[in-house]
Amino acid sequence: MASIFAFFDSGGEMEFLEATPDQVFAALDPRHADPLAFTVQRCSWGGDGLEGHISNTARFVGTYPPNPVATGVVTALGGPQEYIFGNLVICGSRWSPTEDEPPSMCGLSQAQQDLIGDVHTAVREEAASTQR
């Protein structure tokens, strides 16, 4: 089933894709390495969260270019302050009522899309103003 995901290319451009997780992960890493998932915003008590996905080899600088815009977006959303290389996908995560089950991946809600879009715009504007 297709859902909405935020896709950031290595140049920092963002678009919302309606796709299946397999299609998104193929776009995430053209070399088809297994993606690494990390929590951007925790989901709890029935609320939705955000989850980031990068290529398993994205930490190798020689393989993928640094992505300062994606790094800034993740940091502004409260995610880990770790530099991102290459492409990034942000999806939703849904709280699981039992502790045995991890949160499940899901598409982004409209509110999450609006938030990510606004943060992306602000980070791009800040990056442009510092390059002047």
Side-chain angles (χ1 to χ4, degrees):
M1 185 169 110
S3 297
I4 303 292
F5 301 91
F7 177 80
F8 296 80
D9 69 17
S10 60
E13 294 298 319
M14 184 205 64
E15 64 180 311
F16 291 106
L17 301 175
E18 184 171 359
T20 65
D22 288 342
Q23 292 169 326
V24 170
F25 293 146
L28 171 66
D29 182 9
R31 293 173 179 88
H32 304 293
D34 293 327
L36 288 175
F38 61 93
T39 300
V40 177
Q41 292 180 348
R42 291 184 68 92
C43 56
S44 60
W45 297 99
D48 293 333
L50 294 173
E51 187 174 283
H53 295 267
I54 55 175
S55 168
N56 197 15
T57 57
R59 297 178 197 274
F60 300 114
V61 178
T63 307
Y64 295 92
N67 194 335
V69 172
T71 300
V73 169
V74 168
T75 300
L77 290 171
Q81 294 183 357
E82 202 171 293
Y83 215 81
I84 294 172
F85 293 88
N87 300 331
L88 166 72
V89 169
I90 297 179
C91 66
S93 61
R94 207 165 270 133
W95 176 74
S96 174
T98 67
E99 291 183 21
D100 297 339
E101 295 179 50
S104 60
M105 180 177 147
C106 62
L108 297 168
S109 68
Q110 186 61 53
Q112 289 171 324
Q113 292 173 54
D114 293 343
L115 173 65
I116 292 168
D118 290 347
V119 170
H120 178 255
T121 298
V123 169
R124 297 247 338 148
E125 288 173 358
E126 183 178 325
S129 70
T130 59
Q131 292 177 355
R132 291 181 197 155

